[in-house]
Amino acid sequence: MEFTISTKRGQDLIDITSYIKNAVRESGVKEGLAVVFVPHTTAGVTINENGDPDVVTDIIEGLNKAFPVRGNYLHFEGNSHAHIKASFMGSSVNLIIENASPRLGTWQSVYLCEFDGPRTRRVLVKILDG
Amino acid sequence: MEFTISTKRGQDLIDITSYIKNAVRESGVKEGLAVVFVPHTTAGVTINENGDPDVVTDIIEGLNKAFPVRGNYLHFEGNSHAHIKASFMGSSVNLIIENASPRLGTWQSVYLCEFDGPRTRRVLVKILDG
Amino acid sequence: MEFTISTKRGQDLIDITSYIKNAVRESGVKEGLAVVFVPHTTAGVTINENGDPDVVTDIIEGLNKAFPVRGNYLHFEGNSHAHIKASFMGSSVNLIIENASPRLGTWQSVYLCEFDGPRTRRVLVKILDG
């Protein structure tokens, strides 16, 4: 299955855990694997803390320090920082399905990582039974 | 299946390959996929060299330079560097199972990445037959 | 299945998408998951833009700034930067298979990441039906 998210900012992490949980529930799969895949090159997906929204801000700012938005980049579109961050965060995450639900730690949520927004982004979810 | 690891330091990479090999063996699966998942937001999992322990030190120090332990972070717990590192390393790794064993390169081991220890960490292993 | 790639430079990203597509086609699997795994500790695999080759240059240079080739590293082989980059990019990517083909975004390609070349690198592809 797939869904779309309209991001609101240039850079943001958007909690998409509820979409993944719905996808798992609708699949009817009790035990298996859920693979979340983002088919974009300036957006990614990661798992991190949902308890304090400052963590999201700190992650984005930490990334900006290591990979500045403006730098000596060649790519004509001017969004190379976003390509680097997307490659580092990765295009997919794996979630283990137990008892018909993705198994996440207490503080873990799945985040769509927008690095070159605002845009409409697609997210694919593949459920494997097993 | 799952197991726990008690980490000893604030930041460390702990070789957990033998646990994964045991999990694959006990599953009886000959060909398939092993997904290793860490249900924490200040710890991750990666694959890297097991030949020279200096590589682990260099990885941790390299990460500290790019994402300093102390910085202008907002998160009240003061461990934002650990959240960033965990997101970058990732929550899971995939291992291909061949002949009832995870297929790893000569120098590859699977490491639990502790970035906010010492703590007791859980590691989940899901084995898919196929 | 597996294949080998002879890299030409010290650091490079080599588009291996056609190999993955061939592997999926030859497997005969219509719906499922393709896991691409690199059994090396100074090479990795990522997904990024194939439209403008400057993106590859910018990614490598961005990584070099965050994790310099020469630094205060302990590891005697002098390639610690390559181990760090490989751990960050990761050893594997997941691709969802739909209609007998890996589902990729318009601009996405799969890249072998060489950080300590030139060398001959192996790439493993595992196809799961489901």
Side-chain angles (χ1 to χ4, degrees), chain B residues 33 46-49 52 54-55 57-58 62-63 88 94 96 103 105 108 130, chain C residues 2 37-40 73-76 80 83 87-88 92 94 122 124 126:
Chain B
L33 190 70
T46 194
I47 294 173
N48 218 296
E49 169 165 332
D52 175 5
D54 283 344
V55 171
T57 309
D58 285 344
L63 285 170
F88 262 32
N94 294 321
I96 296 170
R103 173 89 184 270
Q108 283 184 316
Chain C
E2 60 185 280
F37 184 87
V38 173
H40 302 284
Y73 301 120
L74 299 175
H75 181 43
F76 66 95
S80 282
H83 288 289
S87 251
F88 262 31
S92 71
N94 295 322
R122 277 175 295 144
L124 317 182
K126 175 72 182 176

PDB file of all heavy atoms in Angstrom, chain B residues 33 46-49 52 54-55 57-58 62-63 88 94 96 103 105 108 130, chain C residues 2 37-40 73-76 80 83 87-88 92 94 122 124 126:
ATOM      1  N   LEU B  33      16.145 -14.392   5.376  1.00  0.00           N
ATOM      2  CA  LEU B  33      16.609 -13.068   5.785  1.00  0.00           C
ATOM      3  C   LEU B  33      16.532 -12.968   7.308  1.00  0.00           C
ATOM      4  O   LEU B  33      15.560 -13.413   7.915  1.00  0.00           O
ATOM      5  CB  LEU B  33      15.696 -11.999   5.156  1.00  0.00           C
ATOM      6  CG  LEU B  33      16.132 -10.541   5.265  1.00  0.00           C
ATOM      7  CD1 LEU B  33      17.357 -10.281   4.396  1.00  0.00           C
ATOM      8  CD2 LEU B  33      14.992  -9.622   4.841  1.00  0.00           C
ATOM      9  N   THR B  46      24.857  -1.470  13.560  1.00  0.00           N
ATOM     10  CA  THR B  46      25.583  -1.304  12.306  1.00  0.00           C
ATOM     11  C   THR B  46      26.456  -2.525  12.068  1.00  0.00           C
ATOM     12  O   THR B  46      26.586  -3.399  12.929  1.00  0.00           O
ATOM     13  CB  THR B  46      26.437  -0.019  12.311  1.00  0.00           C
ATOM     14  OG1 THR B  46      26.854   0.280  10.976  1.00  0.00           O
ATOM     15  CG2 THR B  46      27.678  -0.171  13.190  1.00  0.00           C
ATOM     16  N   ILE B  47      27.031  -2.568  10.882  1.00  0.00           N
ATOM     17  CA  ILE B  47      27.973  -3.628  10.516  1.00  0.00           C
ATOM     18  C   ILE B  47      29.297  -2.951  10.227  1.00  0.00           C
ATOM     19  O   ILE B  47      29.347  -1.970   9.475  1.00  0.00           O
ATOM     20  CB  ILE B  47      27.456  -4.385   9.275  1.00  0.00           C
ATOM     21  CG1 ILE B  47      26.172  -5.141   9.620  1.00  0.00           C
ATOM     22  CG2 ILE B  47      28.533  -5.326   8.729  1.00  0.00           C
ATOM     23  CD1 ILE B  47      25.496  -5.791   8.427  1.00  0.00           C
ATOM     24  N   ASN B  48      30.383  -3.447  10.850  1.00  0.00           N
ATOM     25  CA  ASN B  48      31.691  -2.900  10.523  1.00  0.00           C
ATOM     26  C   ASN B  48      32.793  -3.889  10.880  1.00  0.00           C
ATOM     27  O   ASN B  48      32.501  -5.026  11.202  1.00  0.00           O
ATOM     28  CB  ASN B  48      31.924  -1.527  11.171  1.00  0.00           C
ATOM     29  CG  ASN B  48      32.696  -0.610  10.209  1.00  0.00           C
ATOM     30  OD1 ASN B  48      33.829  -0.872   9.855  1.00  0.00           O
ATOM     31  ND2 ASN B  48      32.023   0.432   9.732  1.00  0.00           N
ATOM     32  N   GLU B  49      34.030  -3.406  10.786  1.00  0.00           N
ATOM     33  CA  GLU B  49      35.189  -4.302  10.896  1.00  0.00           C
ATOM     34  C   GLU B  49      35.432  -4.807  12.311  1.00  0.00           C
ATOM     35  O   GLU B  49      35.376  -4.065  13.283  1.00  0.00           O
ATOM     36  CB  GLU B  49      36.444  -3.557  10.416  1.00  0.00           C
ATOM     37  CG  GLU B  49      37.691  -4.347  10.756  1.00  0.00           C
ATOM     38  CD  GLU B  49      38.933  -3.923  10.054  1.00  0.00           C
ATOM     39  OE1 GLU B  49      38.857  -3.384   8.941  1.00  0.00           O
ATOM     40  OE2 GLU B  49      40.018  -4.148  10.626  1.00  0.00           O
ATOM     41  N   ASP B  52      40.395  -4.959  13.871  1.00  0.00           N
ATOM     42  CA  ASP B  52      41.212  -4.050  14.679  1.00  0.00           C
ATOM     43  C   ASP B  52      40.278  -3.231  15.555  1.00  0.00           C
ATOM     44  O   ASP B  52      39.474  -2.445  15.053  1.00  0.00           O
ATOM     45  CB  ASP B  52      42.003  -3.122  13.740  1.00  0.00           C
ATOM     46  CG  ASP B  52      42.790  -2.063  14.502  1.00  0.00           C
ATOM     47  OD1 ASP B  52      42.802  -2.099  15.750  1.00  0.00           O
ATOM     48  OD2 ASP B  52      43.389  -1.196  13.841  1.00  0.00           O
ATOM     49  N   ASP B  54      40.708  -0.637  17.082  1.00  0.00           N
ATOM     50  CA  ASP B  54      40.853   0.806  16.885  1.00  0.00           C
ATOM     51  C   ASP B  54      39.782   1.349  15.939  1.00  0.00           C
ATOM     52  O   ASP B  54      39.451   2.542  16.002  1.00  0.00           O
ATOM     53  CB  ASP B  54      42.239   1.128  16.292  1.00  0.00           C
ATOM     54  CG  ASP B  54      43.334   1.066  17.345  1.00  0.00           C
ATOM     55  OD1 ASP B  54      43.023   1.074  18.549  1.00  0.00           O
ATOM     56  OD2 ASP B  54      44.512   1.006  16.952  1.00  0.00           O
ATOM     57  N   VAL B  55      39.252   0.515  15.061  1.00  0.00           N
ATOM     58  CA  VAL B  55      38.209   0.994  14.152  1.00  0.00           C
ATOM     59  C   VAL B  55      36.987   1.465  14.941  1.00  0.00           C
ATOM     60  O   VAL B  55      36.399   2.510  14.639  1.00  0.00           O
ATOM     61  CB  VAL B  55      37.820  -0.094  13.118  1.00  0.00           C
ATOM     62  CG1 VAL B  55      36.591   0.328  12.319  1.00  0.00           C
ATOM     63  CG2 VAL B  55      38.986  -0.365  12.177  1.00  0.00           C
ATOM     64  N   THR B  57      36.939   2.665  18.012  1.00  0.00           N
ATOM     65  CA  THR B  57      37.299   3.958  18.609  1.00  0.00           C
ATOM     66  C   THR B  57      37.231   5.070  17.576  1.00  0.00           C
ATOM     67  O   THR B  57      36.693   6.156  17.838  1.00  0.00           O
ATOM     68  CB  THR B  57      38.725   3.886  19.199  1.00  0.00           C
ATOM     69  OG1 THR B  57      38.801   2.748  20.048  1.00  0.00           O
ATOM     70  CG2 THR B  57      39.064   5.136  19.978  1.00  0.00           C
ATOM     71  N   ASP B  58      37.759   4.809  16.383  1.00  0.00           N
ATOM     72  CA  ASP B  58      37.762   5.843  15.340  1.00  0.00           C
ATOM     73  C   ASP B  58      36.350   6.195  14.890  1.00  0.00           C
ATOM     74  O   ASP B  58      36.058   7.365  14.598  1.00  0.00           O
ATOM     75  CB  ASP B  58      38.586   5.366  14.131  1.00  0.00           C
ATOM     76  CG  ASP B  58      40.091   5.427  14.391  1.00  0.00           C
ATOM     77  OD1 ASP B  58      40.506   6.095  15.359  1.00  0.00           O
ATOM     78  OD2 ASP B  58      40.847   4.803  13.618  1.00  0.00           O
ATOM     79  N   GLY B  62      35.006   9.862  15.305  1.00  0.00           N
ATOM     80  CA  GLY B  62      34.564  10.534  14.080  1.00  0.00           C
ATOM     81  C   GLY B  62      33.146  11.062  14.225  1.00  0.00           C
ATOM     82  O   GLY B  62      32.830  12.186  13.817  1.00  0.00           O
ATOM     83  N   LEU B  63      32.288  10.266  14.836  1.00  0.00           N
ATOM     84  CA  LEU B  63      30.912  10.705  15.092  1.00  0.00           C
ATOM     85  C   LEU B  63      30.879  11.875  16.069  1.00  0.00           C
ATOM     86  O   LEU B  63      30.095  12.817  15.899  1.00  0.00           O
ATOM     87  CB  LEU B  63      30.088   9.539  15.654  1.00  0.00           C
ATOM     88  CG  LEU B  63      29.679   8.490  14.639  1.00  0.00           C
ATOM     89  CD1 LEU B  63      29.083   7.273  15.341  1.00  0.00           C
ATOM     90  CD2 LEU B  63      28.634   9.079  13.692  1.00  0.00           C
ATOM     91  N   PHE B  88      21.262   8.084  12.506  1.00  0.00           N
ATOM     92  CA  PHE B  88      22.174   7.921  11.374  1.00  0.00           C
ATOM     93  C   PHE B  88      22.618   6.474  11.226  1.00  0.00           C
ATOM     94  O   PHE B  88      22.685   5.954  10.115  1.00  0.00           O
ATOM     95  CB  PHE B  88      23.393   8.829  11.563  1.00  0.00           C
ATOM     96  CG  PHE B  88      23.256  10.087  10.797  1.00  0.00           C
ATOM     97  CD1 PHE B  88      22.008  10.655  10.596  1.00  0.00           C
ATOM     98  CD2 PHE B  88      24.350  10.719  10.245  1.00  0.00           C
ATOM     99  CE1 PHE B  88      21.866  11.820   9.861  1.00  0.00           C
ATOM    100  CE2 PHE B  88      24.211  11.877   9.515  1.00  0.00           C
ATOM    101  CZ  PHE B  88      22.976  12.434   9.327  1.00  0.00           C
ATOM    102  N   ASN B  94      19.953  -5.783   7.873  1.00  0.00           N
ATOM    103  CA  ASN B  94      19.489  -6.997   7.202  1.00  0.00           C
ATOM    104  C   ASN B  94      20.663  -7.917   6.963  1.00  0.00           C
ATOM    105  O   ASN B  94      21.715  -7.465   6.506  1.00  0.00           O
ATOM    106  CB  ASN B  94      18.935  -6.649   5.813  1.00  0.00           C
ATOM    107  CG  ASN B  94      17.683  -5.817   5.875  1.00  0.00           C
ATOM    108  OD1 ASN B  94      16.843  -6.036   6.731  1.00  0.00           O
ATOM    109  ND2 ASN B  94      17.566  -4.872   4.965  1.00  0.00           N
ATOM    110  N   ILE B  96      21.533 -11.611   4.936  1.00  0.00           N
ATOM    111  CA  ILE B  96      21.048 -12.688   4.074  1.00  0.00           C
ATOM    112  C   ILE B  96      21.482 -14.027   4.671  1.00  0.00           C
ATOM    113  O   ILE B  96      22.639 -14.193   5.059  1.00  0.00           O
ATOM    114  CB  ILE B  96      21.618 -12.506   2.645  1.00  0.00           C
ATOM    115  CG1 ILE B  96      21.074 -11.191   2.037  1.00  0.00           C
ATOM    116  CG2 ILE B  96      21.282 -13.707   1.769  1.00  0.00           C
ATOM    117  CD1 ILE B  96      21.737 -10.784   0.727  1.00  0.00           C
ATOM    118  N   ARG B 103      25.174 -14.566   6.012  1.00  0.00           N
ATOM    119  CA  ARG B 103      26.306 -14.388   5.105  1.00  0.00           C
ATOM    120  C   ARG B 103      26.961 -13.038   5.398  1.00  0.00           C
ATOM    121  O   ARG B 103      26.370 -11.979   5.147  1.00  0.00           O
ATOM    122  CB  ARG B 103      25.768 -14.417   3.668  1.00  0.00           C
ATOM    123  CG  ARG B 103      26.745 -14.084   2.589  1.00  0.00           C
ATOM    124  CD  ARG B 103      27.486 -15.298   2.092  1.00  0.00           C
ATOM    125  NE  ARG B 103      28.483 -14.884   1.120  1.00  0.00           N
ATOM    126  CZ  ARG B 103      28.293 -14.784  -0.193  1.00  0.00           C
ATOM    127  NH1 ARG B 103      27.121 -15.100  -0.722  1.00  0.00           N
ATOM    128  NH2 ARG B 103      29.264 -14.384  -0.995  1.00  0.00           N
ATOM    129  N   GLY B 105      30.799 -10.698   5.235  1.00  0.00           N
ATOM    130  CA  GLY B 105      32.138 -10.620   4.681  1.00  0.00           C
ATOM    131  C   GLY B 105      33.174 -11.012   5.723  1.00  0.00           C
ATOM    132  O   GLY B 105      32.883 -11.057   6.925  1.00  0.00           O
ATOM    133  N   GLN B 108      33.447  -8.521   8.481  1.00  0.00           N
ATOM    134  CA  GLN B 108      32.216  -7.902   8.998  1.00  0.00           C
ATOM    135  C   GLN B 108      31.715  -8.541  10.289  1.00  0.00           C
ATOM    136  O   GLN B 108      31.618  -9.768  10.382  1.00  0.00           O
ATOM    137  CB  GLN B 108      31.092  -8.023   7.964  1.00  0.00           C
ATOM    138  CG  GLN B 108      31.194  -7.059   6.811  1.00  0.00           C
ATOM    139  CD  GLN B 108      29.998  -7.173   5.878  1.00  0.00           C
ATOM    140  OE1 GLN B 108      29.569  -8.267   5.539  1.00  0.00           O
ATOM    141  NE2 GLN B 108      29.466  -6.042   5.457  1.00  0.00           N
ATOM    142  N   GLY B 130      12.824 -18.076   3.156  1.00  0.00           N
ATOM    143  CA  GLY B 130      12.436 -17.773   1.760  1.00  0.00           C
ATOM    144  C   GLY B 130      13.616 -17.689   0.808  1.00  0.00           C
ATOM    145  O   GLY B 130      14.737 -17.554   1.224  1.00  0.00           O
TER     146      GLY B 130
ATOM    147  N   GLU C   2      24.742 -13.037  -6.818  1.00  0.00           N
ATOM    148  CA  GLU C   2      25.714 -12.004  -6.519  1.00  0.00           C
ATOM    149  C   GLU C   2      26.468 -11.604  -7.778  1.00  0.00           C
ATOM    150  O   GLU C   2      26.477 -12.336  -8.767  1.00  0.00           O
ATOM    151  CB  GLU C   2      26.681 -12.457  -5.430  1.00  0.00           C
ATOM    152  CG  GLU C   2      27.494 -13.682  -5.724  1.00  0.00           C
ATOM    153  CD  GLU C   2      28.311 -14.089  -4.500  1.00  0.00           C
ATOM    154  OE1 GLU C   2      29.365 -13.488  -4.244  1.00  0.00           O
ATOM    155  OE2 GLU C   2      27.860 -15.004  -3.791  1.00  0.00           O
ATOM    156  N   PHE C  37      22.950  -6.369  -0.461  1.00  0.00           N
ATOM    157  CA  PHE C  37      23.879  -6.403   0.680  1.00  0.00           C
ATOM    158  C   PHE C  37      25.325  -6.372   0.183  1.00  0.00           C
ATOM    159  O   PHE C  37      25.695  -7.123  -0.722  1.00  0.00           O
ATOM    160  CB  PHE C  37      23.641  -7.684   1.496  1.00  0.00           C
ATOM    161  CG  PHE C  37      24.471  -7.769   2.750  1.00  0.00           C
ATOM    162  CD1 PHE C  37      24.024  -7.215   3.937  1.00  0.00           C
ATOM    163  CD2 PHE C  37      25.709  -8.405   2.747  1.00  0.00           C
ATOM    164  CE1 PHE C  37      24.787  -7.295   5.105  1.00  0.00           C
ATOM    165  CE2 PHE C  37      26.485  -8.486   3.914  1.00  0.00           C
ATOM    166  CZ  PHE C  37      26.008  -7.935   5.089  1.00  0.00           C
ATOM    167  N   VAL C  38      26.141  -5.517   0.801  1.00  0.00           N
ATOM    168  CA  VAL C  38      27.551  -5.374   0.432  1.00  0.00           C
ATOM    169  C   VAL C  38      28.404  -5.981   1.550  1.00  0.00           C
ATOM    170  O   VAL C  38      28.392  -5.473   2.671  1.00  0.00           O
ATOM    171  CB  VAL C  38      27.898  -3.887   0.216  1.00  0.00           C
ATOM    172  CG1 VAL C  38      29.390  -3.696   0.011  1.00  0.00           C
ATOM    173  CG2 VAL C  38      27.119  -3.342  -0.976  1.00  0.00           C
ATOM    174  N   PRO C  39      29.141  -7.069   1.275  1.00  0.00           N
ATOM    175  CA  PRO C  39      29.877  -7.770   2.342  1.00  0.00           C
ATOM    176  C   PRO C  39      31.274  -7.189   2.591  1.00  0.00           C
ATOM    177  O   PRO C  39      32.255  -7.925   2.683  1.00  0.00           O
ATOM    178  CB  PRO C  39      29.954  -9.204   1.808  1.00  0.00           C
ATOM    179  CG  PRO C  39      30.045  -9.029   0.322  1.00  0.00           C
ATOM    180  CD  PRO C  39      29.223  -7.789  -0.008  1.00  0.00           C
ATOM    181  N   HIS C  40      31.364  -5.867   2.697  1.00  0.00           N
ATOM    182  CA  HIS C  40      32.637  -5.173   2.890  1.00  0.00           C
ATOM    183  C   HIS C  40      32.489  -4.144   4.003  1.00  0.00           C
ATOM    184  O   HIS C  40      31.371  -3.733   4.316  1.00  0.00           O
ATOM    185  CB  HIS C  40      33.060  -4.477   1.591  1.00  0.00           C
ATOM    186  CG  HIS C  40      33.195  -5.411   0.431  1.00  0.00           C
ATOM    187  ND1 HIS C  40      34.268  -6.260   0.291  1.00  0.00           N
ATOM    188  CD2 HIS C  40      32.398  -5.646  -0.632  1.00  0.00           C
ATOM    189  CE1 HIS C  40      34.116  -6.978  -0.805  1.00  0.00           C
ATOM    190  NE2 HIS C  40      32.992  -6.636  -1.397  1.00  0.00           N
ATOM    191  N   TYR C  73      43.144   9.503  13.478  1.00  0.00           N
ATOM    192  CA  TYR C  73      42.612   8.159  13.582  1.00  0.00           C
ATOM    193  C   TYR C  73      43.666   7.210  14.135  1.00  0.00           C
ATOM    194  O   TYR C  73      44.868   7.384  13.896  1.00  0.00           O
ATOM    195  CB  TYR C  73      42.153   7.661  12.211  1.00  0.00           C
ATOM    196  CG  TYR C  73      41.089   8.518  11.558  1.00  0.00           C
ATOM    197  CD1 TYR C  73      41.327   9.116  10.322  1.00  0.00           C
ATOM    198  CD2 TYR C  73      39.856   8.707  12.159  1.00  0.00           C
ATOM    199  CE1 TYR C  73      40.343   9.887   9.704  1.00  0.00           C
ATOM    200  CE2 TYR C  73      38.874   9.479  11.546  1.00  0.00           C
ATOM    201  CZ  TYR C  73      39.122  10.065  10.311  1.00  0.00           C
ATOM    202  OH  TYR C  73      38.163  10.823   9.711  1.00  0.00           O
ATOM    203  N   LEU C  74      43.224   6.183  14.846  1.00  0.00           N
ATOM    204  CA  LEU C  74      44.136   5.197  15.430  1.00  0.00           C
ATOM    205  C   LEU C  74      44.415   4.029  14.490  1.00  0.00           C
ATOM    206  O   LEU C  74      45.510   3.467  14.502  1.00  0.00           O
ATOM    207  CB  LEU C  74      43.521   4.619  16.716  1.00  0.00           C
ATOM    208  CG  LEU C  74      43.249   5.617  17.852  1.00  0.00           C
ATOM    209  CD1 LEU C  74      42.533   4.899  18.994  1.00  0.00           C
ATOM    210  CD2 LEU C  74      44.563   6.225  18.340  1.00  0.00           C
ATOM    211  N   HIS C  75      43.417   3.639  13.710  1.00  0.00           N
ATOM    212  CA  HIS C  75      43.483   2.397  12.920  1.00  0.00           C
ATOM    213  C   HIS C  75      44.689   2.424  11.981  1.00  0.00           C
ATOM    214  O   HIS C  75      44.864   3.346  11.191  1.00  0.00           O
ATOM    215  CB  HIS C  75      42.184   2.258  12.136  1.00  0.00           C
ATOM    216  CG  HIS C  75      42.099   1.023  11.301  1.00  0.00           C
ATOM    217  ND1 HIS C  75      42.504  -0.210  11.735  1.00  0.00           N
ATOM    218  CD2 HIS C  75      41.632   0.843  10.032  1.00  0.00           C
ATOM    219  CE1 HIS C  75      42.286  -1.102  10.767  1.00  0.00           C
ATOM    220  NE2 HIS C  75      41.763  -0.483   9.738  1.00  0.00           N
ATOM    221  N   PHE C  76      45.533   1.372  12.085  1.00  0.00           N
ATOM    222  CA  PHE C  76      46.844   1.373  11.410  1.00  0.00           C
ATOM    223  C   PHE C  76      46.751   1.398   9.891  1.00  0.00           C
ATOM    224  O   PHE C  76      47.680   1.831   9.227  1.00  0.00           O
ATOM    225  CB  PHE C  76      47.667   0.159  11.870  1.00  0.00           C
ATOM    226  CG  PHE C  76      47.082  -1.157  11.436  1.00  0.00           C
ATOM    227  CD1 PHE C  76      47.513  -1.772  10.274  1.00  0.00           C
ATOM    228  CD2 PHE C  76      46.095  -1.773  12.196  1.00  0.00           C
ATOM    229  CE1 PHE C  76      46.975  -2.982   9.884  1.00  0.00           C
ATOM    230  CE2 PHE C  76      45.549  -2.972  11.804  1.00  0.00           C
ATOM    231  CZ  PHE C  76      45.988  -3.581  10.645  1.00  0.00           C
ATOM    232  N   SER C  80      40.284   4.778   8.221  1.00  0.00           N
ATOM    233  CA  SER C  80      39.159   4.867   9.158  1.00  0.00           C
ATOM    234  C   SER C  80      38.019   5.696   8.602  1.00  0.00           C
ATOM    235  O   SER C  80      36.838   5.396   8.845  1.00  0.00           O
ATOM    236  CB  SER C  80      39.619   5.450  10.492  1.00  0.00           C
ATOM    237  OG  SER C  80      40.287   4.455  11.240  1.00  0.00           O
ATOM    238  N   HIS C  83      35.713   3.431   6.857  1.00  0.00           N
ATOM    239  CA  HIS C  83      34.872   2.610   7.741  1.00  0.00           C
ATOM    240  C   HIS C  83      33.695   3.432   8.274  1.00  0.00           C
ATOM    241  O   HIS C  83      32.569   2.935   8.354  1.00  0.00           O
ATOM    242  CB  HIS C  83      35.688   2.079   8.922  1.00  0.00           C
ATOM    243  CG  HIS C  83      36.667   1.002   8.550  1.00  0.00           C
ATOM    244  ND1 HIS C  83      36.264  -0.257   8.188  1.00  0.00           N
ATOM    245  CD2 HIS C  83      38.017   0.996   8.472  1.00  0.00           C
ATOM    246  CE1 HIS C  83      37.335  -1.005   7.909  1.00  0.00           C
ATOM    247  NE2 HIS C  83      38.408  -0.266   8.070  1.00  0.00           N
ATOM    248  N   SER C  87      29.736   2.648   7.461  1.00  0.00           N
ATOM    249  CA  SER C  87      28.756   2.384   8.517  1.00  0.00           C
ATOM    250  C   SER C  87      27.568   3.321   8.388  1.00  0.00           C
ATOM    251  O   SER C  87      26.423   2.923   8.613  1.00  0.00           O
ATOM    252  CB  SER C  87      29.397   2.590   9.895  1.00  0.00           C
ATOM    253  OG  SER C  87      29.588   1.364  10.570  1.00  0.00           O
ATOM    254  N   PHE C  88      27.827   4.573   8.021  1.00  0.00           N
ATOM    255  CA  PHE C  88      26.751   5.552   7.909  1.00  0.00           C
ATOM    256  C   PHE C  88      25.873   5.268   6.699  1.00  0.00           C
ATOM    257  O   PHE C  88      24.643   5.364   6.788  1.00  0.00           O
ATOM    258  CB  PHE C  88      27.345   6.950   7.812  1.00  0.00           C
ATOM    259  CG  PHE C  88      27.349   7.630   9.130  1.00  0.00           C
ATOM    260  CD1 PHE C  88      27.487   6.907  10.298  1.00  0.00           C
ATOM    261  CD2 PHE C  88      27.196   9.003   9.223  1.00  0.00           C
ATOM    262  CE1 PHE C  88      27.479   7.527  11.526  1.00  0.00           C
ATOM    263  CE2 PHE C  88      27.183   9.639  10.449  1.00  0.00           C
ATOM    264  CZ  PHE C  88      27.322   8.904  11.601  1.00  0.00           C
ATOM    265  N   SER C  92      23.201  -2.368   3.475  1.00  0.00           N
ATOM    266  CA  SER C  92      22.117  -2.921   2.670  1.00  0.00           C
ATOM    267  C   SER C  92      21.041  -1.891   2.376  1.00  0.00           C
ATOM    268  O   SER C  92      20.896  -0.902   3.099  1.00  0.00           O
ATOM    269  CB  SER C  92      21.498  -4.145   3.351  1.00  0.00           C
ATOM    270  OG  SER C  92      20.767  -3.762   4.492  1.00  0.00           O
ATOM    271  N   ASN C  94      16.757  -1.975   0.964  1.00  0.00           N
ATOM    272  CA  ASN C  94      15.565  -2.763   0.654  1.00  0.00           C
ATOM    273  C   ASN C  94      14.852  -2.153  -0.532  1.00  0.00           C
ATOM    274  O   ASN C  94      14.673  -0.930  -0.576  1.00  0.00           O
ATOM    275  CB  ASN C  94      14.573  -2.705   1.827  1.00  0.00           C
ATOM    276  CG  ASN C  94      15.095  -3.357   3.070  1.00  0.00           C
ATOM    277  OD1 ASN C  94      15.762  -4.378   2.990  1.00  0.00           O
ATOM    278  ND2 ASN C  94      14.802  -2.770   4.213  1.00  0.00           N
ATOM    279  N   ARG C 122      32.088  -7.159  -4.074  1.00  0.00           N
ATOM    280  CA  ARG C 122      30.974  -8.075  -4.299  1.00  0.00           C
ATOM    281  C   ARG C 122      29.668  -7.442  -3.825  1.00  0.00           C
ATOM    282  O   ARG C 122      29.660  -6.696  -2.841  1.00  0.00           O
ATOM    283  CB  ARG C 122      31.200  -9.375  -3.526  1.00  0.00           C
ATOM    284  CG  ARG C 122      32.105 -10.362  -4.285  1.00  0.00           C
ATOM    285  CD  ARG C 122      32.410 -11.575  -3.437  1.00  0.00           C
ATOM    286  NE  ARG C 122      33.187 -11.181  -2.271  1.00  0.00           N
ATOM    287  CZ  ARG C 122      33.073 -11.704  -1.062  1.00  0.00           C
ATOM    288  NH1 ARG C 122      32.189 -12.659  -0.831  1.00  0.00           N
ATOM    289  NH2 ARG C 122      33.814 -11.277  -0.056  1.00  0.00           N
ATOM    290  N   LEU C 124      25.629  -8.739  -3.010  1.00  0.00           N
ATOM    291  CA  LEU C 124      24.683  -9.850  -2.916  1.00  0.00           C
ATOM    292  C   LEU C 124      23.263  -9.318  -3.067  1.00  0.00           C
ATOM    293  O   LEU C 124      22.945  -8.228  -2.573  1.00  0.00           O
ATOM    294  CB  LEU C 124      24.796 -10.547  -1.552  1.00  0.00           C
ATOM    295  CG  LEU C 124      26.198 -10.806  -0.997  1.00  0.00           C
ATOM    296  CD1 LEU C 124      26.100 -11.549   0.342  1.00  0.00           C
ATOM    297  CD2 LEU C 124      27.031 -11.606  -1.969  1.00  0.00           C
ATOM    298  N   LYS C 126      19.292 -10.667  -2.478  1.00  0.00           N
ATOM    299  CA  LYS C 126      18.373 -11.703  -1.998  1.00  0.00           C
ATOM    300  C   LYS C 126      16.950 -11.289  -2.363  1.00  0.00           C
ATOM    301  O   LYS C 126      16.525 -10.172  -2.045  1.00  0.00           O
ATOM    302  CB  LYS C 126      18.497 -11.841  -0.476  1.00  0.00           C
ATOM    303  CG  LYS C 126      17.517 -12.797   0.155  1.00  0.00           C
ATOM    304  CD  LYS C 126      17.855 -14.222  -0.176  1.00  0.00           C
ATOM    305  CE  LYS C 126      16.872 -15.208   0.403  1.00  0.00           C
ATOM    306  NZ  LYS C 126      17.193 -16.586  -0.025  1.00  0.00           N
TER     307      LYS C 126
END
